[in-house]
Amino acid sequence: MTATVVIGSQWGDEGKGKIIDFLGQSADVTVRYSGGDNAGHSLVVNDQKLALRLIPSGILAPNSICIIGNGTVINPATLLDEIKELNGVGVNIDHLKISDRAHIVFPYHILQDQQQERDRSKNGEKIGTTNKGIGPAYMDKMQRIGIRAIDLLDNETLEEKIAFNLEQKKRILDEDLWNQLPSLKELTAQYIEYGEILKDYITDTSYLIHTNLNDNKRVLFEGAQGTMLDIDHGTYPFVTSSNPTAGGAATGAGIGVTKIKHVIGVCKSYVSRVGEGPFPTEQINEVGDRIREIAHEYGTVTKRPRRIGWFDGVLMKYVSEVNGLTDLVVNCLDVLSGFKELKICTGYQTDHGVIKYYPASEKELKNSTPIYETLPGWDEDLTQMTTYEELPANAKNYLKKIEEITGVPVSAFSIGPDREQTIVLNDMWSD
Ligand code: GDP
Ligand code: IMO
Ligand code: MG
């Protein structure tokens, strides 16, 4: 029995999809445990590129079971588009399962998301959400009025539940947004149809995961977003509305924390962020522009340019503790080739000294100045390398520095978007 959790250790888009596809080749089960179609996970296999939103990135492993867990929020329209796209490129999704406890996103959630962003913009405080209705769907879950996958299978009560929700939303939504909603009848018919199409996939996935763990199978848990977007541990309020951290795997999939053997933090060799919010090591200059262009740093979901910054050791130390990381995977090492010097942030200077904790206060974070250590860069193209030994000495030193700062071993690193461009240093399935 091995349960391995993969989490994002920055602000999302660290390359989790690529690593989950890679590790998924040797997994029996892959489980998405949080978030919704705000996620965009890219995988590249034999020059074929896929961007997955809800379906676990282990879907390309033909014999593994892929689960969308109870901790997620599912927009059925996106899911069906994704299924169609996968079928179109010959990927079979018979091995997909959807938790009967997962919550469902409705059009009113998306309108509510728009309204909240519109309101916040008036004070110059918008979050820059993906506008997929994720926050409002989780709000309804917490408010105990959410509609779950199991409800799509009960036509008698579905209409009642939607009617109740529409009453609530009418009180909340501005008239122009409310007027964009389909009628109760239309909405119910649409979601009954989704239920019809998805009914064979909907099941008690927690039970399925336990059965597999008890049968000594390898189960891989796929985080979405990243630790710094976590509702509790991220840069609140500029976060998402779920727990992408490792603890979220236990609640979002329905397993005990004691089952988890490895917690793998995926990071880039630098940092990126989309949306608003603090970002101490951000480089709004030629360094940021250069990395953005080399690495095509534009959002998978929203196509927004990603903000870019130097590797942040303070953040990574915090993230390693919040998640209990056992392994690190460093992606995009190839992107740093050609820089004469590289910088890594090793401390935050504030008006009350160098701080040892990650500030909860937005103000304190804004007033934190990164303290950088400068490391020599390298010129060599890394993209064709197949072993650690081939790396230039300065690239090895860069990885060593990351290990030293975080206290977590680099168990793999990546030198290009393709599955094959992954170099493994430690077994991430060991007991
Ligand atoms: P995710 O949301 O964490 O799965 O990450 P995204 O897929 O949104 O963004 C990561 C981007 O980096 C994708 O375009 C990947 O193809 C790309 N990528 C991942 N690993 C590497 C790497 O080692 N080198 C380069 N150049 N690109 C990478
Ligand atoms: P993956 O899984 C990067 C960001 C949004 C916004 C904030 C809240 O691909 O790493 P939301 O729509 O969730 O309410 O938006 O979170 N965000 C992401 N940023 N990668 C993601 O997912 C993200 N999912 C949400 O840009 O700042
Ligand atoms: Mg992404």
Side-chain angles (χ1 to χ4, degrees):
M1 174 200 91
T2 315
T4 290
V5 178
V6 174
I7 59 112
S9 52
Q10 293 158 337
W11 276 286
D13 301 329
E14 299 88 349
K16 298 175 293 294
K18 177 195 152 137
I19 295 306
I20 287 150
D21 165 65
F22 178 84
L23 287 171
Q25 299 307 304
S26 46
D28 299 295
V29 183
T30 308
V31 189
R32 247 300 284 278
Y33 64 81
S34 69
D37 60 355
N38 48 350
H41 297 171
S42 352
L43 5 158
V44 184
V45 185
N46 301 327
D47 291 332
Q48 190 180 328
K49 199 169 174 175
L50 279 178
L52 299 170
R53 312 282 297 281
L54 282 159
I55 293 183
S57 305
I59 195 75
L60 297 187
N63 299 318
S64 79
I65 302 168
C66 279
I67 293 175
I68 303 179
N70 59 276
T72 62
V73 290
I74 301 173
N75 183 332
T78 314
L79 179 60
L80 293 177
D81 280 351
E82 217 173 316
I83 292 176
K84 210 192 260 173
E85 194 187 331
L86 285 168
N87 285 337
V89 292
V91 178
N92 183 331
I93 49 106
D94 290 350
H95 49 309
L96 178 70
K97 301 286 170 201
I98 300 167
S99 168
D100 47 13
R101 292 174 170 84
H103 280 247
I104 302 296
V105 175
F106 281 76
Y108 46 74
H109 292 131
I110 297 168
L111 295 171
Q112 219 179 321
D113 201 349
Q114 270 174 35
Q115 176 163 312
Q116 278 171 358
E117 285 289 82
R118 191 160 83 177
D119 291 349
R120 292 182 67 106
S121 291
K122 289 178 196 149
N123 305 330
E125 282 180 353
K126 77 177 167 107
I127 290 169
T129 71
T130 57
N131 199 18
K132 302 293 171 199
I134 304 300
Y138 278 114
M139 277 160 66
D140 284 0
K141 172 177 176 173
M142 292 305 170
Q143 223 183 333
R144 294 158 293 174
I145 60 170
I147 295 178
R148 301 185 298 168
I150 189 97
D151 299 319
L152 298 182
L153 308 183
D154 183 349
N155 295 355
E156 276 169 31
T157 57
L158 184 60
E159 181 161 355
E160 266 170 47
K161 289 188 177 174
I162 297 178
F164 178 76
N165 273 276
L166 283 177
E167 267 173 44
Q168 303 282 315
K169 302 302 169 187
K170 186 154 195 198
R171 287 195 214 124
I172 295 170
L173 285 172
D174 291 344
E175 205 179 342
D176 63 321
L177 296 171
W178 169 258
N179 287 338
Q180 292 177 33
L181 271 179
S183 68
L184 169 62
K185 286 273 168 268
E186 286 165 336
L187 211 48
T188 309
Q190 178 68 81
Y191 277 73
I192 286 177
E193 193 186 334
Y194 290 146
E196 273 298 309
I197 303 171
L198 295 174
K199 67 175 185 301
D200 293 338
Y201 301 108
I202 297 173
T203 187
D204 184 335
T205 52
S206 166
Y207 174 76
L208 192 60
I209 297 168
H210 293 144
T211 312
N212 276 277
L213 284 171
N214 292 338
D215 284 350
N216 265 331
K217 298 287 168 65
R218 287 175 167 184
V219 183
L220 183 62
F221 294 89
E222 172 174 4
Q225 287 79 51
T227 303
M228 300 312 288
L229 290 171
D230 185 281
I231 187 83
D232 286 286
H233 304 291
T235 44
Y236 194 90
F238 301 98
V239 292
T240 193
S241 299
S242 64
N243 288 116
T245 34
T251 48
I255 56 154
V257 283
T258 48
K259 303 280 183 202
I260 300 169
K261 292 286 185 291
H262 287 263
V263 180
I264 302 172
V266 183
C267 62
K268 281 177 175 151
S269 59
Y270 47 92
V271 184
S272 73
R273 173 164 205 173
V274 262
E276 308 303 317
F279 184 175
T281 65
E282 183 171 16
Q283 298 298 301
I284 310 174
N285 53 32
E286 67 284 2
V287 171
D289 293 345
R290 180 168 158 190
I291 292 179
R292 184 177 309 105
E293 292 320 308
I294 297 172
H296 312 293
E297 289 286 6
Y298 294 87
T300 316
V301 176
T302 56
K303 312 293 175 214
R304 290 176 288 180
R306 292 176 181 152
R307 300 157 64 192
I308 306 292
W310 291 120
F311 190 88
D312 189 339
V314 179
L315 175 154
M316 281 303 293
K317 178 76 183 145
Y318 168 68
V319 167
S320 75
E321 282 161 358
V322 168
N323 290 286
L325 296 185
T326 58
D327 304 79
L328 270 182
V329 174
V330 181
N331 280 332
C332 299
L333 195 60
D334 55 302
V335 173
L336 297 184
S337 289
F339 279 93
K340 207 171 159 50
E341 286 182 336
L342 300 167
K343 289 187 177 175
I344 289 187
C345 168
T346 54
Y348 287 173
Q349 181 72 52
T350 68
D351 54 11
H352 50 282
V354 178
I355 50 173
K356 297 270 181 220
Y357 52 86
Y358 206 86
S361 148
E362 250 185 87
K363 221 185 218 168
E364 191 179 5
L365 202 47
K366 261 194 197 132
N367 293 331
S368 296
T369 310
I371 302 166
Y372 288 112
E373 193 168 319
T374 303
L375 282 83
W378 59 89
D379 281 328
E380 292 86 338
D381 173 11
L382 311 185
T383 56
Q384 305 304 315
M385 295 183 176
T386 53
T387 61
Y388 173 79
E389 286 66 36
E390 288 168 76
L391 285 183
N394 288 345
K396 286 181 185 160
N397 283 342
Y398 192 79
L399 293 178
K400 285 223 167 69
K401 189 74 196 171
I402 291 177
E403 284 189 335
E404 188 188 303
I405 290 172
T406 56
V408 183
V410 173
S411 290
F413 63 94
S414 154
I415 37 134
D418 200 279
R419 185 194 288 162
E420 300 302 318
Q421 292 171 298
T422 314
I423 298 178
V424 174
L425 305 173
N426 300 314
D427 179 5
M428 288 173 274
W429 284 115
S430 61
D431 270 340

